[in-house]
Amino acid sequence: MIEIDQVRSRFIKHFDGKTGSVYTSPGRINLIGEHTDYNGGFVFPGAVDKGITAEIRPNNTEHTVMAYAIDLKDRVDFKLDDTQGPKTSWARYIYGIALEMRKLGVPVKGFNIAFSGDVPLGAGMSSSAAIESCVAFGLNDLFGDNKVSMWDMALAGQATEHNYCGVKCGIMDQFASIFGQAGKLMRLDCHSREFEYFPFNPQGYKLVLVNSCVKHELAGSPYNDRRNSCENVVKHIAEKHPEAKFETLRDCTWEQLEEVRAEVGEEDYKRAHFVLGEKDRVLAVCDALVACDYETVGKKMYETHDGLSKEYGVSCEELDFLNDVAKENGVTGSRIMGGGFGGCTINLVKEELYDKFINDVKQRYAEKYDREPKIYDVVISDGSRKLSD
């Protein structure tokens, strides 16, 4: 996690020499349950020990925000009453969350903000949710008397993605960033928003991400195309069953999916088939974790990768290669993590195999793709919080 002093020194330098309050929000991993959140299914995330830390201070203006991205050495000033908002992509997260918090009744006025992060960009660990959650938490504290609930802050982050950043994401990333607890994963029912904490302290195993260093770009069509496929299948099933209420694929059965296979086309069918399978796999992993059966957890992770690659079509050659190397090294479980199209694999590795796996995957990936993958050991940690006044 970023040190407070790192952020504070830049905040003082780039603004008026005064200090503000410091907040932090984590990135997240998702053990299993991918592309199920916007389909009303289950996900199984946890907050990690890498995130965004921001210093924020009201600046006595009505609408002016002065924002400094420390890692990018980039400053953007903008007005909250400007309906267009800033053009710079990172500043749009701050602009969007401020407007969404206003909608929730928080009288957000002008503020200064400087932030830094150690969530690896492009790794599928959701740096965007971390910045949204961090700013929401700070604005709620500074302007709103902390009256906005944790759930509403998470939903404000999701609305920011939808309304200002062009990504129709589900709720998982913001939920994990806000609600995370050290040493616990969370099974979230994305339909009812009910969730349950599960202890995650796998003795004798490490959780490690292997970053393919392939660009991870979700905005625009690849992500939204898959969402549209799933919604199309639900629409066709609903037409066949007017007596029932279908909102998402969560409400559909395997039999109903087969009924519309010919009508929706093979691509949409395969995508929906993956989502229904993933719902079942998440529940199987919950049972396995309660039983401390990490072999079953790992088996389900490999099944998820296979489905994301062959059915949902969000893998790429490099990620499939990393998955194969994990399997050949006896890694217990491995799969794409995040939206896909690059990013990381998440791997559950026995400690005695860890060094050999890391050495082998670095060497073989570098030989094949002329660059080393990045390795991130992750520890499951706490969610959004205030660090300092």
Side-chain angles (χ1 to χ4, degrees):
M1 196 60 79
I2 298 295
E3 297 295 320
I4 291 176
D5 292 347
Q6 282 176 262
V7 177
R8 178 146 282 172
S9 65
R10 302 303 191 287
F11 186 84
I12 290 169
K13 178 184 173 185
H14 285 277
F15 300 120
D16 56 7
K18 296 173 182 170
T19 59
S21 300
V22 183
Y23 306 88
T24 192
S25 290
R28 61 101 187 101
I29 57 95
N30 184 31
L31 188 68
I32 198 161
E34 214 64 78
H35 286 281
T36 51
D37 54 353
Y38 54 84
N39 284 299
F42 298 95
V43 290
F44 211 72
V48 296
D49 56 336
K50 295 168 177 59
I52 297 282
T53 299
E55 185 153 5
I56 309 174
R57 186 171 184 276
N59 61 21
N60 299 317
T61 68
E62 280 298 307
H63 302 292
T64 303
V65 175
M66 292 181 264
Y68 184 66
I70 294 168
D71 306 323
L72 300 173
K73 296 185 170 60
D74 189 19
R75 175 164 164 172
V76 176
D77 296 356
F78 57 86
K79 302 276 191 185
L80 292 174
D81 59 348
D82 173 5
T83 55
Q84 298 302 306
K87 290 188 171 62
T88 307
S89 58
W90 63 261
R92 291 192 68 76
Y93 293 111
I94 299 170
Y95 168 79
I97 199 73
L99 295 192
E100 291 299 326
M101 293 300 283
R102 278 184 169 182
K103 289 179 190 174
L104 292 168
V106 177
V108 177
K109 295 190 175 180
F111 59 92
N112 299 344
I113 176 171
F115 68 94
S116 179
D118 58 356
V119 187
L121 295 176
M125 295 169 73
S126 207
S127 52
S128 59
I131 183 72
E132 290 153 6
S133 302
C134 187
V135 177
F137 204 85
L139 298 181
N140 193 32
D141 182 48
L142 293 168
F143 295 103
D145 255 353
N146 293 302
K147 68 182 177 187
V148 174
S149 71
M150 291 167 72
W151 257 120
D152 281 338
M153 284 191 284
L155 291 165
Q158 181 191 30
T160 296
E161 300 274 0
H162 289 199
N163 298 334
Y164 310 97
C165 306
V167 177
K168 286 165 46 177
C169 66
I171 192 58
M172 174 182 69
D173 296 350
Q174 293 81 7
F175 162 80
S177 191
I178 297 255
F179 282 90
Q181 286 187 10
K184 293 176 183 174
L185 296 179
M186 301 166 282
R187 182 183 70 197
L188 169 65
D189 181 332
C190 296
H191 184 70
S192 68
R193 296 196 204 135
E194 293 173 336
F195 65 95
E196 188 177 346
Y197 289 99
F198 284 75
F200 184 76
N201 186 20
Q203 298 296 320
Y205 293 86
K206 286 190 171 190
L207 204 54
V208 59
L209 307 184
V210 179
N211 190 351
S212 65
C213 301
V214 175
K215 187 166 174 56
H216 175 83
E217 187 58 70
L218 279 186
S221 63
Y223 184 97
N224 294 338
D225 283 351
R226 280 149 185 81
R227 185 166 185 152
N228 292 338
S229 289
C230 297
E231 289 171 356
N232 183 47
V233 170
V234 174
K235 187 181 83 168
H236 278 81
I237 290 173
E239 285 168 359
K240 280 195 184 303
H241 297 274
E243 75 289 348
K245 187 179 180 189
F246 293 94
E247 292 179 2
T248 64
L249 276 172
R250 163 69 180 279
D251 305 316
C252 306
T253 65
W254 289 104
E255 293 75 22
Q256 289 162 347
L257 174 60
E258 292 303 325
E259 283 175 12
V260 300
R261 181 172 186 169
E263 297 167 31
V264 299
E266 199 59 18
E267 184 175 72
D268 286 4
Y269 167 81
K270 285 200 305 192
R271 289 171 175 175
H273 190 274
F274 165 77
V275 172
L276 291 189
E278 189 73 344
K279 181 177 77 172
D280 293 347
R281 284 187 287 273
V282 174
L283 297 177
V285 163
C286 292
D287 293 341
L289 281 178
V290 170
C292 295
D293 175 7
Y294 288 98
E295 293 304 310
T296 294
V297 173
K299 182 180 167 209
K300 295 298 171 187
M301 290 169 72
Y302 278 116
E303 287 176 11
T304 291
H305 183 92
D306 207 44
L308 285 167
S309 178
K310 295 185 175 69
E311 292 185 315
Y312 218 66
V314 295
S315 188
C316 58
E317 181 191 322
E318 293 90 343
L319 288 167
D320 289 343
F321 180 79
L322 291 174
N323 187 256
D324 289 341
V325 173
K327 204 173 286 182
E328 289 159 21
N329 274 271
V331 169
T332 303
S334 177
R335 70 172 192 84
I336 308 167
M337 190 195 76
F341 312 110
C344 290
T345 59
I346 180 169
N347 302 270
L348 186 63
V349 191
K350 284 182 178 163
E351 284 178 354
E352 63 264 27
L353 298 176
Y354 177 84
D355 289 340
K356 178 179 175 295
F357 167 57
I358 296 304
N359 290 334
D360 194 43
V361 78
K362 278 183 172 181
Q363 181 184 336
R364 288 174 62 185
Y365 193 82
E367 284 170 3
K368 188 166 176 68
Y369 297 108
D370 204 29
R371 62 180 178 274
E372 268 200 6
K374 293 177 181 169
I375 309 298
Y376 312 114
D377 291 345
V378 292
V379 177
I380 303 303
S381 301
D382 285 323
S384 303
R385 57 203 184 275
K386 187 175 189 174
L387 295 179
S388 168
D389 282 318

